[in-house]
Amino acid sequence: MLPCTQKLADLSWKPKGVILSGSPYSVYDADAPHVDTAVFELEVPVLGVCYGLQEIAWNHGEDVSAGNRKEYGHAILNVARHTKAPSHIDVLFSGLADELEVWMSHGDKLRALPKDFVTIATTSNAPFAGIAHIQKKLYGIQFHPEVTHTSCGKALIENFAVKLCACKQNWTMERFVDTEIDRIRKVVGSTGRVIGAVSGGVDSTVAAKLMHKAIGDRFHAILVDNGVMRLNECEIVHKTLTERLGINLTVVDASKEFLTKLKGVEDPEKKRKIIGNTFIEVFQREAERVMRESGGTVDFLLQGTLYPDVIESISFKGPSATIKTHHNVGGLLENMKLKLIEPLRELFKDEVRVLGTNLGIPEDLVWRHPFPGPGIAIRILGEVTPAQVAIARQADHIYIEEIKAAGLYRKISQAYAALLPVRAVGVMGDKRVHDQVIALRAVETTDYMTADWFDFDGKFLRKVAGRIVNEVDGVCRVVYDITQKPPGTIEFQ
Ligand code: XMP
């Protein structure tokens, strides 16, 4: 993955093929990024997706794309076969049906074919939804093969990578484990030590297990109890990581320290900052203790960075300034003279889950819904007090327990209960009460950038609401959040 402005002459290797991705720009924008035209002279297959297609067209004749009607969403693609044309033209769609469901998301589209190109696919709104050069292996597609809604997307990319570029499919998780363990051992050496924070989430657990497999007890994991984890979470994580996975783990109970600092704070950004900064302070203290007690130096800090974080930092405008996790860790690295080690940085979430399963991590941990660093502090709207934490924890626990019992946990991408900062009137045991309100959230998403609410049946919601108002003191009402992202976000704060 390189920024599109990469000069090919600066590369020390020759690619077997090039995919030009989509972009929010129009090729006509004054500040639009443009690819090094040497890409088209490399004599390797090139596939342009959406903006990539427009970039190919733009580089093969003026004025071929135009800011026309926007098109977002589902479309039916008709494949045009060219049995008499050179054999490479039909390869992109080989083995696929003549009519395909695809996902479109574009402003500009091609108005005419560039010279020496033919049409290989159309939709009712895009007459040049797929194009190919008649001599060179240059292809452009207007739709997005990389999204789940384009069901033929993986097969199309496989046709490109395997049949056109002659790449071998040798990236397997079994191979990954062996090569990564070898790499970790080489980097860390035979006496080096590594520390890392674990949260009970899949990424940090998989990273920790991999590290433990590579260097055993020279890896020290630290779990900071910030007082805003889920019900019984620290005990469960401690038990699983030490007893089942054999990881050398210290749990630090810093809940009082966090909750004292959160006293009186209602602003969500302030909560995030307080939790982030306190975490760094506690972690550093603990890491220094590990250093002293181990008698040697700790050289590396383990981070469960995934490939999407890496992608976010590869921009033609330079690394994004808004990446949350990295700037905090930067301080730690400098203060403690640590080097960063990131064994998962080439993996996507689904690959991390396969890796976790292969490493023997229990299924309920591998398939855990994501949980934000600031924990339930950003799910308690208003001040975070021990009493509010207790209410939010119990309600969340009941909700997730019912989701699991109904066999829905894996169908939902993320679910939790939030505690709203309002009181509502209710009637309980013939008495008027003026108590708090729980909001249930459940979303389906693949990338967490956009999300839709999960469509529970009424019976399920009735059961959860009944249990929460009956079992959680201080709550007399339950509501279900039916806001999509955008405009809502997945978390309430
Ligand atoms: P939003 O609320 O932005 O959430 O739609 C998208 C995903 O990010 C998670 N999230 C966070 N994770 N620290 C984290 O580690 C944070 O401050 C944070 N805020 C949101 C959220 O749970 C969801 O999966």
Side-chain angles (χ1 to χ4, degrees):
M1 181 80 69
L2 297 166
C4 64
T5 45
Q6 171 71 43
K7 290 279 166 259
L8 289 186
D10 296 340
L11 285 187
S12 55
W13 49 278
K14 185 179 172 185
K16 288 189 163 183
V18 177
I19 296 181
L20 305 175
S21 76
S23 153
Y25 282 89
S26 157
V27 286
Y28 292 116
D29 288 342
D31 55 346
H34 290 294
V35 71
D36 180 357
T37 51
V39 159
F40 304 116
E41 309 307 325
L42 265 180
E43 297 187 348
V44 298
V46 178
L47 172 64
V49 174
C50 193
Y51 181 89
L53 166 137
Q54 289 151 21
E55 183 70 4
I56 290 176
W58 192 75
N59 276 288
H60 286 81
E62 299 267 314
D63 249 8
V64 285
S65 62
N68 220 309
R69 230 177 62 203
K70 294 189 184 337
E71 186 183 18
Y72 298 106
H74 172 264
I76 298 289
L77 187 87
N78 291 296
V79 177
R81 312 273 179 200
H82 297 263
T83 42
K84 291 202 182 111
S87 58
H88 74 271
I89 287 183
D90 281 338
V91 176
L92 205 55
F93 288 104
S94 75
L96 303 181
D98 290 341
E99 199 179 278
L100 299 163
E101 302 214 8
V102 298
W103 193 258
M104 291 281 196
S105 177
H106 61 101
D108 288 355
K109 68 177 180 191
L110 285 202
R111 203 167 45 189
L113 267 182
K115 189 172 172 296
D116 296 331
F117 278 78
V118 291
T119 306
I120 54 172
T122 59
T123 70
S124 59
N125 187 41
F128 309 108
I131 62 171
H133 194 281
I134 50 174
Q135 278 117 30
K136 302 179 188 171
K137 290 181 180 165
L138 292 183
Y139 306 84
I141 50 177
Q142 187 61 74
F143 58 94
H144 288 266
E146 74 278 17
V147 302
T148 35
H149 292 97
T150 299
S151 49
C152 64
K154 272 191 186 164
L156 186 143
I157 293 171
E158 186 176 334
N159 279 344
F160 180 74
V162 177
K163 293 187 183 152
L164 287 163
C165 304
C167 293
K168 285 195 200 87
Q169 268 182 300
N170 54 10
W171 175 271
T172 64
M173 275 308 117
E174 288 75 20
R175 272 180 69 132
F176 176 84
V177 171
D178 294 341
T179 48
E180 194 53 32
I181 286 178
D182 278 354
R183 194 187 73 88
I184 292 171
R185 286 181 181 153
K186 273 197 198 97
V187 169
V188 175
S190 55
T191 54
R193 290 179 184 273
V194 179
I195 51 162
V198 289
S199 65
V202 57
D203 304 341
S204 63
T205 307
V206 171
K209 182 63 204 167
L210 195 60
M211 194 53 78
H212 175 257
K213 223 174 143 107
I215 61 166
D217 280 354
R218 282 187 289 127
F219 168 60
H220 303 255
I222 296 170
L223 173 67
V224 176
D225 182 353
N226 58 12
V228 284
M229 311 265 279
R230 285 168 285 202
L231 192 68
N232 305 329
E233 182 145 33
C234 282
E235 296 91 273
I236 296 167
V237 174
H238 182 233
K239 216 170 149 57
T240 312
L241 266 60
T242 53
E243 288 176 18
R244 290 188 65 173
L245 301 175
I247 294 170
N248 179 7
L249 169 76
T250 309
V251 180
V252 189
D253 181 3
S255 50
K256 282 210 180 78
E257 192 170 340
F258 280 84
L259 290 172
T260 306
K261 288 188 180 163
L262 284 168
K263 212 165 171 207
V265 179
E266 294 191 1
D267 179 73
E269 279 314 297
K270 278 201 189 129
K271 287 182 190 171
R272 275 202 164 76
K273 281 211 180 85
I274 289 170
I275 293 171
N277 293 341
T278 311
F279 175 84
I280 296 292
E281 282 167 35
V282 174
F283 185 81
Q284 178 157 346
R285 244 178 10 228
E286 225 11 68
E288 279 163 359
R289 189 190 59 77
V290 168
M291 276 194 185
R292 276 194 311 274
E293 287 180 6
S294 64
T297 52
V298 177
D299 322 276
F300 292 92
L301 175 68
L302 172 70
Q303 272 264 113
T305 313
L306 303 193
Y307 201 49
D309 306 323
V310 177
I311 294 173
E312 203 185 328
S313 64
I314 303 172
S315 157
F316 76 96
K317 287 183 168 169
S320 155
T322 52
I323 298 173
K324 299 169 228 164
T325 45
H326 290 203
H327 67 255
N328 272 340
V329 175
L332 263 184
L333 297 175
E334 244 171 66
N335 294 347
M336 301 186 61
K337 302 192 171 49
L338 295 174
K339 285 169 268 178
L340 202 56
I341 186 158
E342 302 171 303
L344 311 181
R345 61 177 283 119
E346 291 190 325
L347 305 184
F348 286 97
K349 194 86 168 184
D350 54 340
E351 293 174 310
V352 174
R353 291 199 159 119
V354 174
L355 177 59
T357 307
N358 290 352
L359 290 171
I361 296 174
E363 193 166 309
D364 55 343
L365 218 159
V366 165
W367 287 99
R368 211 127 199 246
H369 290 174
F371 185 64
I376 53 178
I378 55 167
R379 296 171 175 180
I380 295 170
L381 287 74
E383 190 185 352
V384 182
T385 63
Q388 293 294 75
V389 170
I391 293 177
R393 269 187 180 156
Q394 283 174 49
D396 186 72
H397 185 72
I398 292 170
Y399 181 38
I400 300 298
E401 195 171 72
E402 289 297 335
I403 286 177
K404 286 185 177 161
L408 297 172
Y409 192 77
R410 293 265 292 264
K411 293 197 179 116
I412 296 169
S413 313
Q414 194 167 357
Y416 66 89
L419 181 56
L420 302 185
V422 287
R423 284 182 183 263
V425 171
V427 50
M428 285 171 122
D430 293 339
K431 268 207 325 246
R432 177 190 183 279
V433 291
H434 190 214
D435 273 342
Q436 304 203 73
V437 182
I438 285 288
L440 306 177
R441 184 93 166 121
V443 294
E444 284 177 286
T445 174
T446 44
D447 56 9
Y448 295 83
M449 308 288 276
T450 60
D452 201 358
W453 52 277
F454 187 78
D455 201 359
F456 287 115
D457 70 25
K459 226 163 108 187
F460 174 85
L461 290 172
R462 190 170 293 118
K463 184 169 184 202
V464 174
R467 277 197 64 192
I468 291 176
V469 289
N470 281 308
E471 294 175 36
V472 185
D473 279 347
V475 175
C476 71
R477 206 169 278 231
V478 176
V479 297
Y480 185 53
D481 181 358
I482 51 164
T483 320
Q484 289 181 313
K485 175 183 179 179
T489 53
I490 294 174
E491 300 294 343
F492 263 75
Q493 293 201 321

